[in-house]
Every structure is written in structure tokens, then in C-alpha cells.
Amino acid sequence: MNLTLYGYDDHWIAVDCGMMIRQDLPNSPLQVPNLGTAETLGITPQALFITHGHEDHIGAVAWLWPKWNCPIYATPLAAGLLRAKFAEHQLSSAAIKIIEPGEAMETAPFSVRYLPVTHSIPESCALVIVMGDYRIMHTGDWKLDPEPLIGTPINAAQFRALAPIDLVVGDSTNAPLPGHSSSEGDVAKALSKTLNECKGRVVVSCFASNLARVLAIGRAAHQCGRRVSLMGRSMERMVSIARGLGYMDDFPALVPPHDLGYLPPDEVVIIATGSQGEPRAALQRLAQGRHPFIDLEPGDNVIFSAKAIPGNERPIDQLKKRLVQLGVTIFDEVNHPELHATGHPSQEELVKFYQWIRPKYLIPVHGEARHQQAHQAIADSLGISAPLAPVNGDMIVMDHLGLRCEARHPQPPCIVNQNSVVPHPGLDATKTTTRRGSLFLALPVAASDTGWWRIGRLMLDSSNASPLDEDSFSEWLDNQLEEIKADTLADLRFALQPRLIHWLADHMQHMPEVHLQIMAAEAPL
């Protein structure tokens, strides 16, 4: 859920505007950035710059941009995806401006240049933002891939020519991982080998936005004499827009899903959404026998060509259990890690990249605390100053004295409910009054084979509420997480709600208004 604001001389721009799916709330609504702090501080960006077309970078634009009504700059693929979203929201797309990778534009006092990087979606770009005497590189999502399938590898000379950079705001996602990430070219070879060995029908599930992976699957299917079909609205939309831009000219002809029943199983490859166990995605419908055009049978194969996002482990496990009950053979990141490659840089790539651009300062973003800390350690080994590991809402100042966090602004979550952006509904549905205070509880949890457990410290704010023994409360909460049997964050929330209200009623003089946020966190290695 990326949104970064850059300010200089009381002028502001925004970079990216993404969303996330809240699995702990009924119907899995979308959560979008909270603009309350920006509005309170009088910040309205004069332009929005998009680094690439992933949902966690563009998913909230149609919801939040009407508050800004500023120009939106995006590369052709991201612009096409945004136009489709604007059409769904009945918004004019006139504000969406196409900027080609490599180009620069000015919106005084900022100059912004788009530099192509490799990632799991075409046209991903790092941004070089020049303001006054400062040059900042906002990397977005990237990796060093010598064989990206779509697009060209990163131009090292182009980045070396920029050195030294004053500040890099960098991707921390894989900073704890040693070595170098795998190439999409290697994954394509592994997919071709696996498809060639499979008997029966094959379903491959991946992120719709990973067009290089979709292209590799299509090519491998064609080489094996199989026909290709797409399942899932987001998959169909992404491929349609990409083909219109000429990215998938050699992608094989598609078979409509309603014609799959006429083909022998060993002549079929289905590329489907649903690798994260999403309840309404195509793969879930296949696993539950609810797809209108096809039924999976013993001897069929399902390939998960995507890594499990932290917090989705249990829905994915349930999905796999259903597939196993159908007699389906499963290939995933555990038994066949060669069938997936990350889109983010590991340690060797970070070191090489920073040796190119020689930044003076680093702000590690896009990851949890341990990822940021690992990123800081890499910076320290290279002589790069990285004094801060920011959290959402931090106002960071850069000047001749260096970097410092000037203020921390809490970011209460906002969700999309009935086509409106509203505050998080909280835990207690009754109409309590703030006269008895409010208790805000943020609970980061991770899934294990035996249950849920808390990651890191409990985040608790009991403003104007009666006193609470936090140590006793934390101990009680940990015991509840051990006892509760829940497959999803939504189930966990449903089970924890009455217990939490009962405990607070017993241990607090007055029952406050309670707001609970359960967050999926990644367990430390």
C-alpha cells in the first residue's frame, strides 16, 4: 500500500498510491492510505507519479485522486490499467498522462526522470527526483535480471552516470536474503520442463500482473502442444492491455473457457488467478467444483507459480487441501522452488546497485522491520548512512544536517465500503461514546502449523480510557492466540472479538470504544 509524499519549498508531489486487501474483515475489503494527515498539514500534491502497475502501487488511485485532481504520470501499461479503473469509477481519464521509460518532466520545483528497471511487470521505473540542490532516487520495486523475458536488463551505465546520489529511498523486501534472485528466464525453462513432463490437465496460478510469467507459461504450453486458456477477470484484463501495447505478440491464441470441455485434458493449460487462496478467484472455484465450464479430476496438475504473501498461508493451505482431495498433483514453492522467481533484489543485487549510484543516505522502505534492518546493515557495510527505519506516517526531513524524523503521525486505517472510503469500522459495533475513552489495538500476527502467534510488540493506545495492565493483557492475548483455531484472519478476528470484549469488561473500570486492527506479519527467519 505505497504512497510517498515529497515536499520542497511548500510544493509537494506524490509517488504511487496503492491498496491492500484486508483479510481480517468480512468480505475482505480494500484498505487504502489515510489522507487525514496530509489534509491536516495542508498538503495537496501537484502531481502523482506512478512507478509501475502493481495493485499495491496503483490500486487506490481511483479512490483518492479525486481529492487531489492533479496530473497523473505513468508509463503506457500502468496508464492503461489506470484508465480501465477510472472507467469503472466513471471518472474522466484526461488527467492520466503517458510518460515513456527514460523520459523526464518538470513540475516546478521538481524534475522527475523515469529510469527503466527490471521487475515482475513491464515498464517498472525508478524515479530520479531533483529538487533544489538535492537528487533523490526512489527505486520503486526492482531486481537485477539478466533475462527478464519482457523488456531489457537494467542499463548499468545509465545508473553509474548518476553517481553520487544524495538519497536513495529503496526496496527492502528481500534485504535479508543472501545471494542473487533468480531470473525470469530460468523460471521459463523450469516451466517448460515441468509442463512437458505433466500428464493430464495443467492449471498454473500466478499473479495476473506478472506478464513475463504469463508469457513464459504460454510459450511453454505451445511448445508442448497444449492449448492455453485464461481464467479470472484481472488476468484477462492484464493480458488484453499488454497485447494492445505489443508486449505479447508471440503469445499463443487463446481458447475461451467455455470451450475447454471439448479438449482432451492433456492438451490444456489454464492460466488462472487465485494463487493466494482468494475466495472468489478462479482457482478457488476450480478447487470447490464450482467452475461453470470445467471440473478438476484425479491426474490433473496445479502449479503455484507465486510466493505466498505473509498472512495468506492458511487460505492457501486450505485451497491445497481441497485440490489434494480431488486427486490433483500440486507443484509449489516448497517442492519446486524453481517455478517462481521474486521481483525484488537480494543482498548481492543491493550491493551492486549501490556501488553504481553511490548514495550518501538511504531510507529503507517496502518491507517489515526486519527487512529494513537488514537493509540498514547492508548500507552500513558500504559506508552509506541509514539512520532511520521509518514507519507509516513518519515525516522525514533532509537538509545540510542529514536525515531526521521530524514528526510521527498515526495512520488510522481506511477501508473502501460501499464505494466510499471510510475509517476502519473497529471492533465494537455498538454506539459507545468517546466519553469513556478509546482503545486502539494493532495486533501483528503470523501463522504457524499449530496456530497464530504475535510478532513483535503489541501496539496499544488507550487515550482517555481507564488504566490497563498492559503486561497482563499481553500475556492473556498470547494465550488466546494459542487456543483459537482459525484458518483465516477473518476467522481469527471473529473468534477473538467476544473474548476481548469480555476480558476488557472484567479488567477496566469503564468499557472504552475499541478499535482492533489485525495485521499479517512475516515470521522472522
Side-chain angles (χ1 to χ4, degrees), residues 309-331:
I309 295 174
N312 293 345
E313 294 90 350
R314 285 177 173 266
I316 294 172
D317 286 344
Q318 291 298 312
L319 172 62
K320 290 178 179 177
K321 287 178 183 176
R322 295 189 184 99
L323 293 169
V324 170
Q325 290 170 356
L326 295 175
V328 169
T329 300
I330 293 176
F331 301 78

mmCIF file with all atom_site columns, all heavy atoms in Angstrom, residues 309-331:
data_model
loop_
_atom_site.group_PDB
_atom_site.id
_atom_site.type_symbol
_atom_site.label_atom_id
_atom_site.label_alt_id
_atom_site.label_comp_id
_atom_site.label_asym_id
_atom_site.label_entity_id
_atom_site.label_seq_id
_atom_site.pdbx_PDB_ins_code
_atom_site.Cartn_x
_atom_site.Cartn_y
_atom_site.Cartn_z
_atom_site.occupancy
_atom_site.B_iso_or_equiv
_atom_site.pdbx_formal_charge
_atom_site.auth_seq_id
_atom_site.auth_comp_id
_atom_site.auth_asym_id
_atom_site.auth_atom_id
_atom_site.pdbx_PDB_model_num
ATOM 1   N N   . ILE A 1 309 ? 2.064   -14.614 0.043   1.00 0.00 ? 309 ILE A N   1
ATOM 2   C CA  . ILE A 1 309 ? 2.185   -13.344 0.746   1.00 0.00 ? 309 ILE A CA  1
ATOM 3   C C   . ILE A 1 309 ? 1.936   -13.585 2.235   1.00 0.00 ? 309 ILE A C   1
ATOM 4   O O   . ILE A 1 309 ? 1.003   -14.318 2.594   1.00 0.00 ? 309 ILE A O   1
ATOM 5   C CB  . ILE A 1 309 ? 1.173   -12.325 0.194   1.00 0.00 ? 309 ILE A CB  1
ATOM 6   C CG1 . ILE A 1 309 ? 1.515   -11.987 -1.267  1.00 0.00 ? 309 ILE A CG1 1
ATOM 7   C CG2 . ILE A 1 309 ? 1.142   -11.057 1.032   1.00 0.00 ? 309 ILE A CG2 1
ATOM 8   C CD1 . ILE A 1 309 ? 0.489   -11.104 -1.937  1.00 0.00 ? 309 ILE A CD1 1
ATOM 9   N N   . PRO A 1 310 ? 2.777   -13.028 3.132   1.00 0.00 ? 310 PRO A N   1
ATOM 10  C CA  . PRO A 1 310 ? 2.555   -13.230 4.569   1.00 0.00 ? 310 PRO A CA  1
ATOM 11  C C   . PRO A 1 310 ? 1.111   -12.916 4.964   1.00 0.00 ? 310 PRO A C   1
ATOM 12  O O   . PRO A 1 310 ? 0.562   -11.880 4.599   1.00 0.00 ? 310 PRO A O   1
ATOM 13  C CB  . PRO A 1 310 ? 3.545   -12.250 5.214   1.00 0.00 ? 310 PRO A CB  1
ATOM 14  C CG  . PRO A 1 310 ? 4.648   -12.123 4.212   1.00 0.00 ? 310 PRO A CG  1
ATOM 15  C CD  . PRO A 1 310 ? 3.982   -12.205 2.871   1.00 0.00 ? 310 PRO A CD  1
ATOM 16  N N   . GLY A 1 311 ? 0.508   -13.834 5.719   1.00 0.00 ? 311 GLY A N   1
ATOM 17  C CA  . GLY A 1 311 ? -0.887  -13.696 6.108   1.00 0.00 ? 311 GLY A CA  1
ATOM 18  C C   . GLY A 1 311 ? -1.819  -14.545 5.287   1.00 0.00 ? 311 GLY A C   1
ATOM 19  O O   . GLY A 1 311 ? -2.951  -14.821 5.699   1.00 0.00 ? 311 GLY A O   1
ATOM 20  N N   . ASN A 1 312 ? -1.354  -15.001 4.109   1.00 0.00 ? 312 ASN A N   1
ATOM 21  C CA  . ASN A 1 312 ? -2.199  -15.828 3.238   1.00 0.00 ? 312 ASN A CA  1
ATOM 22  C C   . ASN A 1 312 ? -1.912  -17.310 3.373   1.00 0.00 ? 312 ASN A C   1
ATOM 23  O O   . ASN A 1 312 ? -2.495  -18.121 2.638   1.00 0.00 ? 312 ASN A O   1
ATOM 24  C CB  . ASN A 1 312 ? -1.995  -15.413 1.772   1.00 0.00 ? 312 ASN A CB  1
ATOM 25  C CG  . ASN A 1 312 ? -2.515  -14.028 1.484   1.00 0.00 ? 312 ASN A CG  1
ATOM 26  O OD1 . ASN A 1 312 ? -3.260  -13.456 2.266   1.00 0.00 ? 312 ASN A OD1 1
ATOM 27  N ND2 . ASN A 1 312 ? -2.111  -13.470 0.359   1.00 0.00 ? 312 ASN A ND2 1
ATOM 28  N N   . GLU A 1 313 ? -1.001  -17.693 4.289   1.00 0.00 ? 313 GLU A N   1
ATOM 29  C CA  . GLU A 1 313 ? -0.590  -19.088 4.365   1.00 0.00 ? 313 GLU A CA  1
ATOM 30  C C   . GLU A 1 313 ? -1.769  -20.035 4.610   1.00 0.00 ? 313 GLU A C   1
ATOM 31  O O   . GLU A 1 313 ? -1.870  -21.085 3.966   1.00 0.00 ? 313 GLU A O   1
ATOM 32  C CB  . GLU A 1 313 ? 0.455   -19.270 5.474   1.00 0.00 ? 313 GLU A CB  1
ATOM 33  C CG  . GLU A 1 313 ? 1.769   -18.559 5.206   1.00 0.00 ? 313 GLU A CG  1
ATOM 34  C CD  . GLU A 1 313 ? 1.805   -17.140 5.729   1.00 0.00 ? 313 GLU A CD  1
ATOM 35  O OE1 . GLU A 1 313 ? 0.729   -16.634 6.150   1.00 0.00 ? 313 GLU A OE1 1
ATOM 36  O OE2 . GLU A 1 313 ? 2.886   -16.533 5.735   1.00 0.00 ? 313 GLU A OE2 1
ATOM 37  N N   . ARG A 1 314 ? -2.642  -19.667 5.522   1.00 0.00 ? 314 ARG A N   1
ATOM 38  C CA  . ARG A 1 314 ? -3.732  -20.584 5.860   1.00 0.00 ? 314 ARG A CA  1
ATOM 39  C C   . ARG A 1 314 ? -4.766  -20.720 4.735   1.00 0.00 ? 314 ARG A C   1
ATOM 40  O O   . ARG A 1 314 ? -5.173  -21.839 4.420   1.00 0.00 ? 314 ARG A O   1
ATOM 41  C CB  . ARG A 1 314 ? -4.394  -20.152 7.180   1.00 0.00 ? 314 ARG A CB  1
ATOM 42  C CG  . ARG A 1 314 ? -3.524  -20.500 8.374   1.00 0.00 ? 314 ARG A CG  1
ATOM 43  C CD  . ARG A 1 314 ? -4.105  -20.019 9.693   1.00 0.00 ? 314 ARG A CD  1
ATOM 44  N NE  . ARG A 1 314 ? -3.288  -20.531 10.783  1.00 0.00 ? 314 ARG A NE  1
ATOM 45  C CZ  . ARG A 1 314 ? -3.553  -21.651 11.444  1.00 0.00 ? 314 ARG A CZ  1
ATOM 46  N NH1 . ARG A 1 314 ? -4.597  -22.377 11.123  1.00 0.00 ? 314 ARG A NH1 1
ATOM 47  N NH2 . ARG A 1 314 ? -2.763  -22.057 12.419  1.00 0.00 ? 314 ARG A NH2 1
ATOM 48  N N   . PRO A 1 315 ? -5.225  -19.619 4.123   1.00 0.00 ? 315 PRO A N   1
ATOM 49  C CA  . PRO A 1 315 ? -6.128  -19.802 2.976   1.00 0.00 ? 315 PRO A CA  1
ATOM 50  C C   . PRO A 1 315 ? -5.504  -20.630 1.858   1.00 0.00 ? 315 PRO A C   1
ATOM 51  O O   . PRO A 1 315 ? -6.181  -21.443 1.226   1.00 0.00 ? 315 PRO A O   1
ATOM 52  C CB  . PRO A 1 315 ? -6.398  -18.363 2.511   1.00 0.00 ? 315 PRO A CB  1
ATOM 53  C CG  . PRO A 1 315 ? -6.171  -17.515 3.712   1.00 0.00 ? 315 PRO A CG  1
ATOM 54  C CD  . PRO A 1 315 ? -5.087  -18.190 4.481   1.00 0.00 ? 315 PRO A CD  1
ATOM 55  N N   . ILE A 1 316 ? -4.194  -20.450 1.627   1.00 0.00 ? 316 ILE A N   1
ATOM 56  C CA  . ILE A 1 316 ? -3.524  -21.234 0.589   1.00 0.00 ? 316 ILE A CA  1
ATOM 57  C C   . ILE A 1 316 ? -3.483  -22.699 0.984   1.00 0.00 ? 316 ILE A C   1
ATOM 58  O O   . ILE A 1 316 ? -3.717  -23.594 0.151   1.00 0.00 ? 316 ILE A O   1
ATOM 59  C CB  . ILE A 1 316 ? -2.104  -20.681 0.334   1.00 0.00 ? 316 ILE A CB  1
ATOM 60  C CG1 . ILE A 1 316 ? -2.180  -19.281 -0.261  1.00 0.00 ? 316 ILE A CG1 1
ATOM 61  C CG2 . ILE A 1 316 ? -1.329  -21.602 -0.600  1.00 0.00 ? 316 ILE A CG2 1
ATOM 62  C CD1 . ILE A 1 316 ? -0.834  -18.584 -0.377  1.00 0.00 ? 316 ILE A CD1 1
ATOM 63  N N   . ASP A 1 317 ? -3.189  -22.989 2.262   1.00 0.00 ? 317 ASP A N   1
ATOM 64  C CA  . ASP A 1 317 ? -3.166  -24.380 2.719   1.00 0.00 ? 317 ASP A CA  1
ATOM 65  C C   . ASP A 1 317 ? -4.537  -25.031 2.564   1.00 0.00 ? 317 ASP A C   1
ATOM 66  O O   . ASP A 1 317 ? -4.641  -26.205 2.166   1.00 0.00 ? 317 ASP A O   1
ATOM 67  C CB  . ASP A 1 317 ? -2.723  -24.451 4.183   1.00 0.00 ? 317 ASP A CB  1
ATOM 68  C CG  . ASP A 1 317 ? -1.229  -24.205 4.348   1.00 0.00 ? 317 ASP A CG  1
ATOM 69  O OD1 . ASP A 1 317 ? -0.507  -24.288 3.342   1.00 0.00 ? 317 ASP A OD1 1
ATOM 70  O OD2 . ASP A 1 317 ? -0.792  -23.916 5.487   1.00 0.00 ? 317 ASP A OD2 1
ATOM 71  N N   . GLN A 1 318 ? -5.594  -24.298 2.897   1.00 0.00 ? 318 GLN A N   1
ATOM 72  C CA  . GLN A 1 318 ? -6.945  -24.849 2.732   1.00 0.00 ? 318 GLN A CA  1
ATOM 73  C C   . GLN A 1 318 ? -7.236  -25.128 1.263   1.00 0.00 ? 318 GLN A C   1
ATOM 74  O O   . GLN A 1 318 ? -7.849  -26.149 0.913   1.00 0.00 ? 318 GLN A O   1
ATOM 75  C CB  . GLN A 1 318 ? -7.978  -23.866 3.297   1.00 0.00 ? 318 GLN A CB  1
ATOM 76  C CG  . GLN A 1 318 ? -7.951  -23.707 4.801   1.00 0.00 ? 318 GLN A CG  1
ATOM 77  C CD  . GLN A 1 318 ? -8.269  -25.020 5.514   1.00 0.00 ? 318 GLN A CD  1
ATOM 78  O OE1 . GLN A 1 318 ? -9.228  -25.702 5.180   1.00 0.00 ? 318 GLN A OE1 1
ATOM 79  N NE2 . GLN A 1 318 ? -7.449  -25.363 6.495   1.00 0.00 ? 318 GLN A NE2 1
ATOM 80  N N   . LEU A 1 319 ? -6.812  -24.226 0.397   1.00 0.00 ? 319 LEU A N   1
ATOM 81  C CA  . LEU A 1 319 ? -7.005  -24.416 -1.032  1.00 0.00 ? 319 LEU A CA  1
ATOM 82  C C   . LEU A 1 319 ? -6.276  -25.668 -1.507  1.00 0.00 ? 319 LEU A C   1
ATOM 83  O O   . LEU A 1 319 ? -6.839  -26.492 -2.255  1.00 0.00 ? 319 LEU A O   1
ATOM 84  C CB  . LEU A 1 319 ? -6.486  -23.180 -1.780  1.00 0.00 ? 319 LEU A CB  1
ATOM 85  C CG  . LEU A 1 319 ? -6.408  -23.245 -3.303  1.00 0.00 ? 319 LEU A CG  1
ATOM 86  C CD1 . LEU A 1 319 ? -7.798  -23.441 -3.902  1.00 0.00 ? 319 LEU A CD1 1
ATOM 87  C CD2 . LEU A 1 319 ? -5.764  -21.976 -3.857  1.00 0.00 ? 319 LEU A CD2 1
ATOM 88  N N   . LYS A 1 320 ? -5.044  -25.845 -1.056  1.00 0.00 ? 320 LYS A N   1
ATOM 89  C CA  . LYS A 1 320 ? -4.270  -27.025 -1.467  1.00 0.00 ? 320 LYS A CA  1
ATOM 90  C C   . LYS A 1 320 ? -4.897  -28.316 -0.945  1.00 0.00 ? 320 LYS A C   1
ATOM 91  O O   . LYS A 1 320 ? -4.876  -29.348 -1.642  1.00 0.00 ? 320 LYS A O   1
ATOM 92  C CB  . LYS A 1 320 ? -2.829  -26.886 -0.982  1.00 0.00 ? 320 LYS A CB  1
ATOM 93  C CG  . LYS A 1 320 ? -2.045  -25.801 -1.712  1.00 0.00 ? 320 LYS A CG  1
ATOM 94  C CD  . LYS A 1 320 ? -0.625  -25.657 -1.173  1.00 0.00 ? 320 LYS A CD  1
ATOM 95  C CE  . LYS A 1 320 ? 0.138   -24.589 -1.928  1.00 0.00 ? 320 LYS A CE  1
ATOM 96  N NZ  . LYS A 1 320 ? 1.508   -24.370 -1.388  1.00 0.00 ? 320 LYS A NZ  1
ATOM 97  N N   . LYS A 1 321 ? -5.456  -28.280 0.253   1.00 0.00 ? 321 LYS A N   1
ATOM 98  C CA  . LYS A 1 321 ? -6.121  -29.475 0.781   1.00 0.00 ? 321 LYS A CA  1
ATOM 99  C C   . LYS A 1 321 ? -7.297  -29.886 -0.095  1.00 0.00 ? 321 LYS A C   1
ATOM 100 O O   . LYS A 1 321 ? -7.516  -31.072 -0.352  1.00 0.00 ? 321 LYS A O   1
ATOM 101 C CB  . LYS A 1 321 ? -6.592  -29.208 2.215   1.00 0.00 ? 321 LYS A CB  1
ATOM 102 C CG  . LYS A 1 321 ? -5.478  -29.157 3.243   1.00 0.00 ? 321 LYS A CG  1
ATOM 103 C CD  . LYS A 1 321 ? -6.026  -28.837 4.628   1.00 0.00 ? 321 LYS A CD  1
ATOM 104 C CE  . LYS A 1 321 ? -4.889  -28.719 5.644   1.00 0.00 ? 321 LYS A CE  1
ATOM 105 N NZ  . LYS A 1 321 ? -5.392  -28.322 6.991   1.00 0.00 ? 321 LYS A NZ  1
ATOM 106 N N   . ARG A 1 322 ? -8.068  -28.891 -0.548  1.00 0.00 ? 322 ARG A N   1
ATOM 107 C CA  . ARG A 1 322 ? -9.190  -29.208 -1.431  1.00 0.00 ? 322 ARG A CA  1
ATOM 108 C C   . ARG A 1 322 ? -8.703  -29.814 -2.740  1.00 0.00 ? 322 ARG A C   1
ATOM 109 O O   . ARG A 1 322 ? -9.317  -30.746 -3.279  1.00 0.00 ? 322 ARG A O   1
ATOM 110 C CB  . ARG A 1 322 ? -10.013 -27.951 -1.704  1.00 0.00 ? 322 ARG A CB  1
ATOM 111 C CG  . ARG A 1 322 ? -10.707 -27.374 -0.488  1.00 0.00 ? 322 ARG A CG  1
ATOM 112 C CD  . ARG A 1 322 ? -11.674 -26.266 -0.878  1.00 0.00 ? 322 ARG A CD  1
ATOM 113 N NE  . ARG A 1 322 ? -12.274 -25.647 0.294   1.00 0.00 ? 322 ARG A NE  1
ATOM 114 C CZ  . ARG A 1 322 ? -11.856 -24.499 0.823   1.00 0.00 ? 322 ARG A CZ  1
ATOM 115 N NH1 . ARG A 1 322 ? -10.847 -23.856 0.266   1.00 0.00 ? 322 ARG A NH1 1
ATOM 116 N NH2 . ARG A 1 322 ? -12.448 -23.999 1.887   1.00 0.00 ? 322 ARG A NH2 1
ATOM 117 N N   . LEU A 1 323 ? -7.610  -29.285 -3.261  1.00 0.00 ? 323 LEU A N   1
ATOM 118 C CA  . LEU A 1 323 ? -7.069  -29.809 -4.511  1.00 0.00 ? 323 LEU A CA  1
ATOM 119 C C   . LEU A 1 323 ? -6.570  -31.237 -4.329  1.00 0.00 ? 323 LEU A C   1
ATOM 120 O O   . LEU A 1 323 ? -6.777  -32.098 -5.192  1.00 0.00 ? 323 LEU A O   1
ATOM 121 C CB  . LEU A 1 323 ? -5.937  -28.911 -5.007  1.00 0.00 ? 323 LEU A CB  1
ATOM 122 C CG  . LEU A 1 323 ? -6.354  -27.504 -5.460  1.00 0.00 ? 323 LEU A CG  1
ATOM 123 C CD1 . LEU A 1 323 ? -5.120  -26.629 -5.679  1.00 0.00 ? 323 LEU A CD1 1
ATOM 124 C CD2 . LEU A 1 323 ? -7.182  -27.561 -6.733  1.00 0.00 ? 323 LEU A CD2 1
ATOM 125 N N   . VAL A 1 324 ? -5.904  -31.508 -3.193  1.00 0.00 ? 324 VAL A N   1
ATOM 126 C CA  . VAL A 1 324 ? -5.421  -32.859 -2.921  1.00 0.00 ? 324 VAL A CA  1
ATOM 127 C C   . VAL A 1 324 ? -6.596  -33.832 -2.820  1.00 0.00 ? 324 VAL A C   1
ATOM 128 O O   . VAL A 1 324 ? -6.524  -34.973 -3.304  1.00 0.00 ? 324 VAL A O   1
ATOM 129 C CB  . VAL A 1 324 ? -4.576  -32.874 -1.635  1.00 0.00 ? 324 VAL A CB  1
ATOM 130 C CG1 . VAL A 1 324 ? -4.279  -34.307 -1.200  1.00 0.00 ? 324 VAL A CG1 1
ATOM 131 C CG2 . VAL A 1 324 ? -3.273  -32.122 -1.850  1.00 0.00 ? 324 VAL A CG2 1
ATOM 132 N N   . GLN A 1 325 ? -7.696  -33.397 -2.209  1.00 0.00 ? 325 GLN A N   1
ATOM 133 C CA  . GLN A 1 325 ? -8.875  -34.253 -2.103  1.00 0.00 ? 325 GLN A CA  1
ATOM 134 C C   . GLN A 1 325 ? -9.452  -34.608 -3.471  1.00 0.00 ? 325 GLN A C   1
ATOM 135 O O   . GLN A 1 325 ? -10.095 -35.649 -3.627  1.00 0.00 ? 325 GLN A O   1
ATOM 136 C CB  . GLN A 1 325 ? -9.938  -33.561 -1.244  1.00 0.00 ? 325 GLN A CB  1
ATOM 137 C CG  . GLN A 1 325 ? -9.577  -33.471 0.222   1.00 0.00 ? 325 GLN A CG  1
ATOM 138 C CD  . GLN A 1 325 ? -10.526 -32.584 1.019   1.00 0.00 ? 325 GLN A CD  1
ATOM 139 O OE1 . GLN A 1 325 ? -11.430 -31.960 0.463   1.00 0.00 ? 325 GLN A OE1 1
ATOM 140 N NE2 . GLN A 1 325 ? -10.311 -32.511 2.320   1.00 0.00 ? 325 GLN A NE2 1
ATOM 141 N N   . LEU A 1 326 ? -9.199  -33.757 -4.452  1.00 0.00 ? 326 LEU A N   1
ATOM 142 C CA  . LEU A 1 326 ? -9.659  -34.033 -5.814  1.00 0.00 ? 326 LEU A CA  1
ATOM 143 C C   . LEU A 1 326 ? -8.700  -34.949 -6.567  1.00 0.00 ? 326 LEU A C   1
ATOM 144 O O   . LEU A 1 326 ? -8.969  -35.313 -7.720  1.00 0.00 ? 326 LEU A O   1
ATOM 145 C CB  . LEU A 1 326 ? -9.823  -32.721 -6.594  1.00 0.00 ? 326 LEU A CB  1
ATOM 146 C CG  . LEU A 1 326 ? -10.900 -31.751 -6.109  1.00 0.00 ? 326 LEU A CG  1
ATOM 147 C CD1 . LEU A 1 326 ? -10.849 -30.458 -6.921  1.00 0.00 ? 326 LEU A CD1 1
ATOM 148 C CD2 . LEU A 1 326 ? -12.287 -32.388 -6.200  1.00 0.00 ? 326 LEU A CD2 1
ATOM 149 N N   . GLY A 1 327 ? -7.572  -35.297 -5.947  1.00 0.00 ? 327 GLY A N   1
ATOM 150 C CA  . GLY A 1 327 ? -6.593  -36.145 -6.610  1.00 0.00 ? 327 GLY A CA  1
ATOM 151 C C   . GLY A 1 327 ? -5.645  -35.390 -7.507  1.00 0.00 ? 327 GLY A C   1
ATOM 152 O O   . GLY A 1 327 ? -5.004  -35.975 -8.392  1.00 0.00 ? 327 GLY A O   1
ATOM 153 N N   . VAL A 1 328 ? -5.511  -34.088 -7.271  1.00 0.00 ? 328 VAL A N   1
ATOM 154 C CA  . VAL A 1 328 ? -4.675  -33.227 -8.108  1.00 0.00 ? 328 VAL A CA  1
ATOM 155 C C   . VAL A 1 328 ? -3.234  -33.220 -7.587  1.00 0.00 ? 328 VAL A C   1
ATOM 156 O O   . VAL A 1 328 ? -3.005  -33.196 -6.373  1.00 0.00 ? 328 VAL A O   1
ATOM 157 C CB  . VAL A 1 328 ? -5.250  -31.795 -8.120  1.00 0.00 ? 328 VAL A CB  1
ATOM 158 C CG1 . VAL A 1 328 ? -4.275  -30.817 -8.758  1.00 0.00 ? 328 VAL A CG1 1
ATOM 159 C CG2 . VAL A 1 328 ? -6.582  -31.769 -8.856  1.00 0.00 ? 328 VAL A CG2 1
ATOM 160 N N   . THR A 1 329 ? -2.259  -33.254 -8.490  1.00 0.00 ? 329 THR A N   1
ATOM 161 C CA  . THR A 1 329 ? -0.850  -33.129 -8.124  1.00 0.00 ? 329 THR A CA  1
ATOM 162 C C   . THR A 1 329 ? -0.489  -31.652 -8.023  1.00 0.00 ? 329 THR A C   1
ATOM 163 O O   . THR A 1 329 ? -0.817  -30.861 -8.918  1.00 0.00 ? 329 THR A O   1
ATOM 164 C CB  . THR A 1 329 ? 0.050   -33.800 -9.174  1.00 0.00 ? 329 THR A CB  1
ATOM 165 O OG1 . THR A 1 329 ? -0.294  -35.188 -9.259  1.00 0.00 ? 329 THR A OG1 1
ATOM 166 C CG2 . THR A 1 329 ? 1.524   -33.667 -8.788  1.00 0.00 ? 329 THR A CG2 1
ATOM 167 N N   . ILE A 1 330 ? 0.176   -31.275 -6.931  1.00 0.00 ? 330 ILE A N   1
ATOM 168 C CA  . ILE A 1 330 ? 0.479   -29.871 -6.664  1.00 0.00 ? 330 ILE A CA  1
ATOM 169 C C   . ILE A 1 330 ? 1.983   -29.619 -6.792  1.00 0.00 ? 330 ILE A C   1
ATOM 170 O O   . ILE A 1 330 ? 2.805   -30.366 -6.257  1.00 0.00 ? 330 ILE A O   1
ATOM 171 C CB  . ILE A 1 330 ? -0.006  -29.466 -5.261  1.00 0.00 ? 330 ILE A CB  1
ATOM 172 C CG1 . ILE A 1 330 ? -1.548  -29.502 -5.206  1.00 0.00 ? 330 ILE A CG1 1
ATOM 173 C CG2 . ILE A 1 330 ? 0.495   -28.071 -4.890  1.00 0.00 ? 330 ILE A CG2 1
ATOM 174 C CD1 . ILE A 1 330 ? -2.103  -29.220 -3.837  1.00 0.00 ? 330 ILE A CD1 1
ATOM 175 N N   . PHE A 1 331 ? 2.325   -28.552 -7.493  1.00 0.00 ? 331 PHE A N   1
ATOM 176 C CA  . PHE A 1 331 ? 3.693   -28.049 -7.582  1.00 0.00 ? 331 PHE A CA  1
ATOM 177 C C   . PHE A 1 331 ? 3.692   -26.654 -6.951  1.00 0.00 ? 331 PHE A C   1
ATOM 178 O O   . PHE A 1 331 ? 2.914   -25.791 -7.373  1.00 0.00 ? 331 PHE A O   1
ATOM 179 C CB  . PHE A 1 331 ? 4.148   -27.929 -9.046  1.00 0.00 ? 331 PHE A CB  1
ATOM 180 C CG  . PHE A 1 331 ? 4.121   -29.220 -9.823  1.00 0.00 ? 331 PHE A CG  1
ATOM 181 C CD1 . PHE A 1 331 ? 2.924   -29.737 -10.308 1.00 0.00 ? 331 PHE A CD1 1
ATOM 182 C CD2 . PHE A 1 331 ? 5.295   -29.905 -10.083 1.00 0.00 ? 331 PHE A CD2 1
ATOM 183 C CE1 . PHE A 1 331 ? 2.901   -30.914 -11.034 1.00 0.00 ? 331 PHE A CE1 1
ATOM 184 C CE2 . PHE A 1 331 ? 5.286   -31.083 -10.826 1.00 0.00 ? 331 PHE A CE2 1
ATOM 185 C CZ  . PHE A 1 331 ? 4.082   -31.592 -11.298 1.00 0.00 ? 331 PHE A CZ  1
#
